[in-house]
Amino acid sequence: MPEIFQLSFMVRAFIGGGIVGAIAPLLGTFLVLRRLSMFVDSLAHVALAGVAVGLLFNRFPIMVAVGVSIAAAVVLERLRASNRMASDSALALILYTGLAVMVVLVSLGNGFNVDLFGFLFGNIVTVGGPDLWAMGGLAAAVLVLVWLLYGELVQSTFDPDLARVSGVPVWRVNLALAILTGVTVTLSMRVVGALLVGALTVFPVLASLQLGRGFRMTLLVSAALGIVSVFVGLTISYYRDIAAGGAIVLTALGLLVAISVLRGMITRLVRPASR
Amino acid sequence: MPVDPVLTFEDVTFGYGPSVAVEGISFAVERGDFVALIGPNGSGKTTLVKLALGLERPQRGRVLLFGQEVQRFCQWHRVSYVPQSVNAFTVRFPATVGEVISYAEYRGIDPLAILRRGLSPAVRQALQAVGMWEQRGQLIGELSGGQQQRVLIARALVHRTELLLLDEPTAGVDVAGEERLYSLLRDMRQQHGVTIILVSHDVGVVLHEATKVVCINRKLRFYGAAREVTDADLAHLYGFPVDLVFHRHD
């Protein structure tokens, strides 16, 4: 067995990373196609504020972050649904509020900055058994949601107004998607870090959209690319002794670039210039 | 027994922020009507369609769909909507023409929806009716504007709709496509009794096709039989002299 798999923390990293690598792009497919690529980033900053609250009071930082990011997801959806402001403005409002709260809490709580760094940039080797159970439960919830509400999710992504007129409960579907995204973001922070979790949600989807023929295939391919990015990134990180979060995201970027280039070459071969 | 109008506006006022989009609108659309909704840019035509579909909530008055307040209406299988454009046309949406038309068969949460493959007979018929059968496997984003519009119209044909609302369906459609659309609408109305409400800027054509006309410029300027609309009504509506030219359908 390779050395990397003889270390229990690396095995846990591969399992946890694999789970996050699959579900983040699965939800990301719906977000990217709704032009909400920054949704994850906004929730990640709020989740960081939640972690900071937990660290300040020395009480369950992850659980506090989950609660805070769910609340932020609900507020975000309400703001978007009310048409009181454009979606990108609502995202900016939540993102900077989260960031400001975190900065204030960091200045108040001398000493926990090092712990917060682990959530900011990711520290996959600290993923423990309870984290894996939480990630497994979340993965099950995401899979059930996508399975049961596949038609509703696709229709409200295609066009929310058209979906409403077809009888789809768009607000409730959006809320379910937002809440699960909030939880996914929080649990993914240990793997890639709050600053990079958005990239793991978006890059595999962008790559998959280059290949996908149909919605189901796009979902499957984006999840597969997410898993590959995590596994390759973790391996490189271990053998080259570099930060896992960065290695994972750069691997996802590499896959996106490679697929885009390959697609361009194939398109040129199939459709030669008509001069 | 009297039959409820298909759509009723009762003294409806709505605005976006401080600006009023439509004010004091009252009219009723009867079963089997073909209503043309006309007016200058920014006159409130699309707003009226959104109010009719419950996508916007009136600030005053009420909208009834099949006799029921639209916010409480849930028999959406009786209604079809063809918008000007949809979100999916502006992103690389990974769905084929056949898939998109199949969405119109939605009947509530279905755990097997993710497994469903192939096209139902109704979807096949709709594809053929709009001349998109050959493109059924093509991605929606690879189509021209006119073809995308035909896909949206095909969605409306999938289920036996009773009310069809179309918001500028001929924008970006060539003459042949336009004639094909109106021929389809004539068939739907005459053979299946579908009530049609159509927003258009092509005043000459819609006045020829429609049975009734709603002229709107924030307020209701005219509602009545299409044949009763005069050049003077249109000049008042658009603010400059209008000569009606009817297209021949020989």
Coordinates of all heavy atoms in Angstrom, one line a residue, chain B residues 95-103 119 123 127 135-138:
Chain B
A95 N -29.2 21.6 -21.4 CA -30.4 20.8 -21.7 C -30.7 20.8 -23.2 O -30.5 21.8 -23.9 CB -31.5 21.4 -20.9
T96 N -31.1 19.7 -23.6 CA -31.5 19.6 -25.0 C -32.9 20.1 -25.3 O -33.7 20.3 -24.3 CB -31.5 18.1 -25.5 OG1 -32.5 17.4 -24.8 CG2 -30.1 17.5 -25.3
V97 N -33.2 20.4 -26.5 CA -34.5 20.9 -26.9 C -35.6 19.9 -26.4 O -36.6 20.4 -25.8 CB -34.6 21.0 -28.4 CG1 -36.1 21.3 -28.9 CG2 -33.7 22.1 -28.9
G98 N -35.4 18.6 -26.5 CA -36.4 17.7 -26.1 C -36.6 17.7 -24.6 O -37.7 17.7 -24.1
E99 N -35.5 17.9 -23.8 CA -35.6 17.9 -22.4 C -36.4 19.2 -21.9 O -37.3 19.1 -21.1 CB -34.2 18.1 -21.8 CG -33.5 16.8 -21.5 CD -32.1 17.0 -20.9 OE1 -31.2 17.4 -21.6 OE2 -31.9 16.7 -19.7
V100 N -36.1 20.3 -22.5 CA -36.7 21.6 -22.2 C -38.2 21.5 -22.4 O -39.0 21.9 -21.6 CB -36.1 22.8 -22.9 CG1 -36.9 24.0 -22.7 CG2 -34.7 23.0 -22.4
I101 N -38.6 20.9 -23.5 CA -40.1 20.8 -23.8 C -40.7 19.8 -22.8 O -41.8 20.0 -22.4 CB -40.3 20.4 -25.3 CG1 -39.7 21.5 -26.2 CG2 -41.8 20.2 -25.6 CD1 -39.8 21.3 -27.6
S102 N -40.0 18.8 -22.4 CA -40.5 17.8 -21.4 C -40.8 18.5 -20.1 O -41.6 18.0 -19.3 CB -39.5 16.7 -21.3 OG -39.4 16.0 -22.5
Y103 N -40.1 19.6 -19.7 CA -40.3 20.2 -18.4 C -41.8 20.6 -18.3 O -42.3 20.7 -17.2 CB -39.5 21.5 -18.3 CG -38.0 21.3 -18.3 CD1 -37.1 22.4 -18.5 CD2 -37.4 20.1 -18.0 CE1 -35.8 22.3 -18.5 CE2 -36.0 19.9 -18.0 CZ -35.2 21.0 -18.3 OH -33.8 20.9 -18.3
L119 N -38.9 10.8 -25.0 CA -39.9 11.8 -25.1 C -41.3 11.2 -25.2 O -41.5 10.2 -25.8 CB -39.6 12.6 -26.4 CG -38.2 13.2 -26.5 CD1 -38.0 13.9 -27.9 CD2 -37.9 14.2 -25.4
V123 N -44.9 15.4 -26.2 CA -43.7 16.2 -26.5 C -43.3 16.0 -28.0 O -42.9 17.0 -28.6 CB -42.5 15.8 -25.6 CG1 -41.2 16.5 -26.0 CG2 -42.9 16.1 -24.1
L127 N -43.0 19.0 -30.7 CA -41.8 19.2 -31.5 C -42.1 19.3 -32.9 O -41.6 20.2 -33.7 CB -40.8 18.1 -31.2 CG -39.9 18.2 -30.0 CD1 -39.3 16.9 -29.6 CD2 -38.8 19.2 -30.2
Q135 N -34.2 19.1 -34.4 CA -33.3 19.7 -33.4 C -33.5 19.2 -32.0 O -33.0 19.7 -31.1 CB -33.5 21.2 -33.4 CG -33.0 21.9 -34.6 CD -34.0 22.0 -35.7 OE1 -35.2 21.5 -35.6 NE2 -33.6 22.5 -36.9
R136 N -34.3 18.1 -31.8 CA -34.7 17.6 -30.5 C -33.5 17.3 -29.6 O -33.6 17.4 -28.4 CB -35.6 16.4 -30.6 CG -35.0 15.2 -31.2 CD -36.1 14.2 -31.4 NE -35.6 12.9 -32.0 CZ -35.2 12.8 -33.3 NH1 -35.4 13.8 -34.1 NH2 -34.7 11.6 -33.7
G137 N -32.4 16.9 -30.2 CA -31.2 16.5 -29.4 C -30.2 17.6 -29.2 O -29.1 17.4 -28.6
Q138 N -30.5 18.8 -29.8 CA -29.5 19.9 -29.8 C -29.6 20.6 -28.5 O -30.7 20.7 -27.9 CB -29.9 20.8 -31.0 CG -28.7 21.5 -31.6 CD -29.1 22.2 -32.9 OE1 -29.9 21.7 -33.6 NE2 -28.5 23.4 -33.1

